[in-house]
Amino acid sequence: MKRAATVSAGPGSGRSPAELLGRLRARHHDADPVTHVERVPARAGEPAPWPTWAPQELRAALAGRGVVAPWRHQAEAAELAYAGRHVVVATGTASGKSLAYQLPALATLLADPRATVLYLAPTKALAADQLRAVAGLELDGVRPACYDGDTPRAEREWIRKHSRFVLTNPDMLHHGILPGHANWSGFLRRLTYVVIDECHTYRGVFGSHVAHVLRRLRRLSGSPGRPSSPALASSRKAPVFVLASATSGDPATAAGRLTGLPVAAVTEDTSPRGGVTFALWEPPLLPSDAATGEADLVQVRRSALRETADLLADTVAEGVRTLAFVRSRKGAEVVAANARRSLDEAVPGLGDRVAAYRAGYLREERRELERALLHGDLLGLASTNALELGVDLVGLDAVLMCGWPGTRASLWQQAGRAGRSGDEALAVLVARDDPLDTYLVHHPEALFGRPVEATVLDPANPYVLAPQLACAAAEAPLTPADLELFGEGAKEAVDSLVEAGALRQRPTGWYWRHRERPEVDLRGEGGAPVAVVEASTGRLLGTVDGGSSHFLIHAGAVYLHQGVSYVVDSLDLDDGCALVHAEEPDWSTHARDVTSLSVVSVRSYVDAGPVGMFLGEVDVTSQVVSYQRRRIASGEVIDTRPLDLPARELRTVAVWFTVSPQSLALAGVEAADIPGALHAAEHAAIGLLPLMATCDRWDIGGLSTALHPDTEAPTVFVYDGHPGGAGFAERAYGAAASWLRATRDAIAECGCESGCPSCVQSPKCGNGNNPLSKPDAVRVLDVVLANLPPATDADAPSGVVRAGPSSTPTDEPASTRAEQPAEAGLTPDDASGGPEPALPRQDDRTAARSTAHPAADAG
């Protein structure tokens, strides 16, 4: 595709977003890739007077930074916090949420020389950005400082003793501050405000862990009760929590679940907003001879990675400062590399103004990229969600999103990165060849004018609660009052820790018995990071989380770093090191796994005649056994090579439905077609679940079989890819009819004849999308929907029967239930976040991985 040969000198091209979109669309001569354009109108702001308690010094400092008066929602939240109320401000991107907590926090620090403030961000980049903002006010005595894994040890003691506004993240609070609370006693004793920024990111297992980290903080910083006096910090018995969130469903409830406190919500956004032109973009179909080398396979669409890379190159060539969000680290590298290549072909050297940004980079690389983007040295950046959050990226003109980001909250967060200075902006969602993406770009009503999702987390998850209680006991002996603080299930978890020998009960409480502290991974990333080292030089290139290492850096894998390609020579999991060498192969690598599942217990179920809908615990076993090498140019499979990696086991929560063979026969599904029908329905159900729950398909997995030994019936399972579950399966169970109705419609409305990636095929399928039957999948879902009671978004649909926690559908030993996927029609799929391969196709991770990635660049 030919690029423009010149670039404007300024930060933008001067064209309106509509004009820019028109130029991008005009490059596609055969068919218009845009399925819908939504115009989000501009909005005027509603200012409010300064609070009477805000000191003149603070007002003057803020005015010097361009803040002449707060918006009404900022003033309302600040008033609540200063009065001692816990508050969450849940408004749109670029609505100035930071001022809502800066006003009461900084006013108190200026009025009370002993007060301290703790700020928590999910990413280092966001904490660094907030440090720049607070330090830029130059207020005497505040002494703000970042305390995270990148902080030099020489500075840490000074921060502990002298900083009054400490910015950190939950990981450092968990691993460093709370275990060393004796060294932080002065700071914690005088703690006045705890600011939790971007709190909507704390969902699933990660959010459940953070909820208990906050309870541990409350325990060590004073009485857990809510302060009732609006006086200054010196008279408060406990810190006030101020939370900032993207627009979300029921933010007060979610914030209360996160903190364990009653929280008031401020949700009306009164800030001004520039208009946004939002386009839904579906890549064109590839010609049949270019899609694959096999004529009998269905057509596929052009890769979203390629399409996003071209759009990024086009916008940069137009002089438009653009941020492209890509789902995976590898995908971000691929988009940046292809955009650079296209730009250099048009104007040599222009590709240098595009880069990739992701977690796993060294600190110096990340900070330099942030600086280059802020100062305009870079015009284009392909990033993972590491830059999704509130980093102030003033001057961006356009945002590209390579694939549905998982939730409507993330969609608007990412789109809001552009136009933050009040200017008009362009946002483009580029659909992947995926059932959900295809559904959304053809059903814009599912995106626009709909409320965003509620945050899902479960602090009572025993796989989270017990380890967190162990951490708390290692910090200070637990007491009965502490058990009330940690909430439902705490007594049972403590009893289990005593029985396991981890705690010893004494009249004064429960004591940690071991010399070393408990090892608890907040983000569920499957172990310590693995270092990626260039074998010939010993140079550290970056890191990969332990849970991803089996898929991203196995022996023979292609690893990308800032556009440079490396091939992995060896992976040593014990030493946490992968050795690589630079190489530019013409193939990409794709790990393959096998999965088995057994039912442990049934929590509740719906008996709907020939259909059963269940919620319960399952055991999932997964092992990466091989990888494919595929030609980059064509996607042709070169060969499959075996791998010898250990199996991983996961106990989690699943939702599943069973259908009687007789009802399927009456619906016209032949016995021989049942495996393909269930498999196709499973693929589509996984893809559509994010419409009902605050998750994306990276968080969930699935498996289907024509006769599962535990259910003795044709069965489709969808499960959380996290130990103990993350709340997504429960949400699916509660909205089962709505979820499966959307799934059925997505399959039936797809224009293909026999199934394609837009409806029932999955690029991450453990069985290579075989067998699949699109028409029979519709028939299966028709049977289910005809019998299932209508569901609501409650915890369970009508007609639910609650089962005891230890009930099981069979007495058969679990060890006899596992079957290889190729046998008995067992068809596993993966889910919990993962690698996208090099072009032309995308890929995901395996379902049985017990990992989650809510935020990058943290810890």
Side-chain angles (χ1 to χ4, degrees):
M1 184 178 296
K2 188 176 181 179
R3 307 292 172 200
T6 59
V7 179
S8 69
S13 64
R15 296 186 180 89
S16 71
E19 291 173 332
L20 176 60
L21 179 61
R23 290 177 65 88
L24 297 176
R25 297 169 77 172
R27 300 184 190 276
H28 287 265
H29 304 295
D30 298 334
D32 186 358
V34 174
T35 61
H36 179 79
V37 177
E38 187 80 8
R39 171 65 183 167
V40 181
R43 178 186 63 210
E46 185 179 338
W50 289 106
T52 56
W53 44 260
Q56 181 58 37
E57 179 185 359
L58 177 57
R59 298 187 198 183
L62 290 168
R65 306 289 288 184
V67 181
V68 296
W71 305 116
R72 183 167 55 81
H73 70 275
Q74 295 171 326
E76 182 182 345
E79 289 280 11
L80 288 168
Y82 194 75
R85 295 279 303 279
H86 307 293
V87 61
V88 56
V89 52
T91 52
T93 305
S95 60
K97 292 184 284 290
S98 58
L99 186 64
Y101 54 75
Q102 287 175 2
L103 268 177
L106 294 175
T108 300
L109 292 181
L110 292 172
D112 181 358
R114 292 181 52 79
T116 60
V117 172
L118 182 67
Y119 168 94
L120 297 175
T123 70
K124 293 178 185 175
L126 179 54
D129 183 74
Q130 286 298 302
L131 175 63
R132 287 190 291 266
V134 175
L137 297 174
E138 299 180 344
L139 297 171
D140 290 338
V142 174
R143 300 188 292 275
C146 268
Y147 190 88
D148 57 32
D150 292 338
T151 304
R153 295 202 172 273
E155 297 179 13
R156 295 188 179 193
E157 185 175 357
W158 184 93
I159 294 173
R160 286 194 294 267
K161 291 183 177 179
H162 301 292
S163 176
R164 299 176 62 217
F165 195 122
V166 173
L167 301 98
T168 186
N169 52 59
D171 307 79
M172 180 56 81
L173 181 61
H174 164 64
H175 288 292
I177 295 176
L178 295 180
H181 62 90
N183 296 325
W184 288 86
S185 59
F187 182 91
L188 294 174
R189 186 171 57 251
R190 296 179 279 115
L191 188 58
T192 308
Y193 288 100
V194 177
V195 177
I196 306 173
D197 209 352
E198 305 290 1
C199 66
H200 64 281
T201 63
Y202 301 123
R203 62 180 180 84
V205 170
F206 177 51
S208 303
H209 273 296
V210 173
H212 289 300
V213 172
L214 295 178
R215 285 158 176 78
R216 287 161 50 200
L217 172 64
R218 291 172 53 204
R219 178 174 177 253
L220 297 174
S221 61
S223 167
R226 177 175 62 82
S228 57
S229 169
L232 296 178
S234 58
S235 66
R236 285 180 176 143
K237 295 182 179 179
V240 173
F241 281 75
V242 185
L243 301 94
S245 170
T247 304
S248 63
D250 199 4
T253 298
R257 191 177 295 120
L258 184 65
T259 61
L261 296 163
V263 179
V266 175
T267 58
E268 185 181 357
D269 191 340
T270 59
S271 65
R273 182 183 63 191
V276 179
T277 299
F278 205 127
L280 304 183
W281 188 289
E282 186 174 41
L285 287 168
L286 290 171
S288 57
D289 58 346
T292 66
E294 301 178 40
D296 59 331
L297 294 182
V298 300
Q299 286 184 294
V300 298
R301 294 194 177 276
R302 195 165 187 262
S303 165
L305 289 174
R306 278 196 184 278
E307 198 77 355
T308 304
D310 283 353
L311 288 172
L312 180 60
D314 288 339
T315 55
V316 169
E318 295 278 353
V320 175
R321 290 175 63 179
T322 306
L323 181 61
F325 284 104
V326 189
R327 296 299 306 276
S328 71
R329 298 179 181 187
K330 194 171 184 179
E333 295 279 3
V334 167
V335 167
N338 280 272
R340 282 195 296 263
R341 186 180 304 116
S342 296
L343 289 166
D344 282 335
E345 289 174 357
V347 181
L350 185 55
D352 293 340
R353 303 195 70 181
V354 174
Y357 183 102
R358 60 173 175 81
Y361 284 172
L362 303 181
R363 176 194 182 188
E364 295 76 14
E365 291 179 294
R366 296 196 306 270
R367 299 298 169 256
E368 175 57 27
L369 288 168
E370 293 163 18
R371 185 207 63 78
L373 184 64
L374 289 170
H375 288 80
D377 299 334
L378 286 174
L379 276 177
L381 201 63
S383 172
T384 60
N385 66 347
L387 288 180
E388 175 181 319
L389 304 180
V391 178
D392 195 5
L393 301 177
V394 175
L396 288 180
D397 306 301
V399 166
L400 309 173
M401 290 163 278
C402 182
W404 167 244
T407 65
R408 282 183 287 272
S410 287
L411 180 80
W412 291 110
Q413 279 287 101
Q414 293 182 2
R417 293 301 96 198
R420 287 175 63 86
S421 57
D423 297 331
E424 296 281 319
L426 174 66
V428 180
L429 173 63
V430 181
R432 292 177 297 173
D433 212 356
D434 168 274
L436 180 54
D437 286 35
T438 302
Y439 180 88
L440 291 173
V441 295
H442 291 284
H443 292 80
E445 69 279 2
L447 291 177
F448 303 108
R450 292 279 302 276
V452 297
E453 307 85 352
T455 303
V456 176
L457 66 150
D458 180 17
N461 181 340
Y463 288 82
V464 172
L465 180 54
Q468 287 293 333
L469 284 168
C471 291
E475 292 155 4
L478 293 168
T479 66
D482 293 330
L483 301 189
E484 183 178 349
L485 170 67
F486 284 94
E488 179 186 353
K491 182 61 169 66
E492 293 79 3
V494 164
D495 291 342
S496 68
L497 289 169
V498 171
E499 185 178 352
L503 298 183
R504 176 182 287 115
Q505 186 171 7
R506 290 288 185 260
T508 52
W510 292 271
Y511 289 73
W512 178 245
R513 296 187 59 182
H514 305 292
R515 184 181 300 274
E516 62 280 352
R517 295 190 64 254
E519 290 291 333
V520 178
D521 181 5
L522 296 189
R523 297 177 184 264
E525 293 181 340
V530 178
V532 181
V533 177
E534 189 172 25
S536 61
T537 64
R539 180 168 65 103
L540 176 64
L541 298 176
T543 60
V544 173
D545 65 85
S548 302
S549 59
H550 290 209
F551 298 87
L552 293 179
I553 51 173
H554 57 77
V558 176
Y559 175 80
L560 296 175
H561 185 85
Q562 277 296 3
V564 179
S565 178
Y566 299 84
V567 174
V568 179
D569 298 317
S570 63
L571 170 62
D572 190 325
L573 294 172
D574 294 330
D575 290 342
C577 180
L579 297 179
V580 304
H581 69 271
E583 183 180 340
E584 293 285 346
D586 65 349
W587 37 265
S588 60
T589 52
H590 309 262
R592 312 288 287 180
D593 76 317
V594 294
T595 304
S596 60
L597 180 150
S598 59
V599 176
V600 176
S601 65
V602 175
R603 293 183 182 178
S604 57
Y605 65 93
V606 174
D607 185 352
V611 173
M613 180 65 64
F614 298 83
L615 177 71
E617 290 188 331
V618 297
D619 280 336
V620 182
T621 302
S622 179
Q623 183 177 19
V624 175
V625 296
S626 63
Y627 69 96
Q628 287 184 344
R629 297 192 306 160
R630 301 179 192 169
R631 298 284 183 199
I632 292 177
S634 65
E636 173 194 358
V637 175
I638 301 172
D639 57 21
T640 300
R641 299 189 173 189
L643 290 170
D644 183 17
L645 292 167
R648 289 177 170 176
E649 296 183 355
L650 169 69
R651 177 161 291 187
T652 186
V653 178
V655 57
W656 66 94
F657 65 81
T658 60
V659 190
S660 72
Q662 295 81 3
S663 64
L664 293 179
L666 290 173
V669 182
E670 301 291 338
D673 296 328
I674 291 177
L678 298 177
H679 194 193
E682 173 219 334
H683 281 180
I686 290 174
L688 271 294
L689 180 55
L691 282 180
M692 308 297 160
T694 313
C695 69
D696 51 46
R697 69 181 305 157
W698 308 80
D699 293 318
I700 51 181
L703 184 144
S704 59
T705 177
L707 180 63
H708 194 276
D710 293 344
T711 65
E712 299 181 350
T715 310
V716 171
F717 294 89
V718 176
Y719 57 86
D720 294 349
H722 309 265
F728 308 135
E730 285 93 335
R731 198 65 183 267
Y733 180 70
S738 300
W739 167 41
L740 297 179
R741 170 64 62 187
T743 301
R744 187 260 180 214
D745 292 346
I747 300 173
E749 293 172 5
C750 184
C752 69
E753 292 185 7
S754 58
C756 69
S758 297
C759 58
V760 299
Q761 288 188 354
S762 170
K764 59 185 185 174
C765 178
N767 277 57
N769 288 297
N770 183 43
L772 289 175
S773 175
K774 174 185 175 179
D776 287 321
V778 174
R779 296 184 182 100
V780 167
L781 292 169
D782 283 339
V783 171
V784 174
L785 292 166
N787 291 277
L788 200 64
T792 66
D793 287 330
D795 289 337
S798 58
V800 67
V801 179
R802 297 287 181 187
S806 61
S807 63
T808 56
T810 177
D811 293 327
E812 183 181 3
S815 60
T816 68
R817 299 178 202 157
E819 296 182 63
Q820 293 299 318
E823 300 172 6
L826 204 61
T827 52
D829 275 310
D830 60 65
S832 46
E836 291 188 13
L839 302 175
R841 292 297 303 277
Q842 301 177 64
D843 205 352
D844 306 323
R845 283 185 195 156
T846 65
R849 279 194 46 232
S850 58
T851 63
H853 300 280
D857 189 29

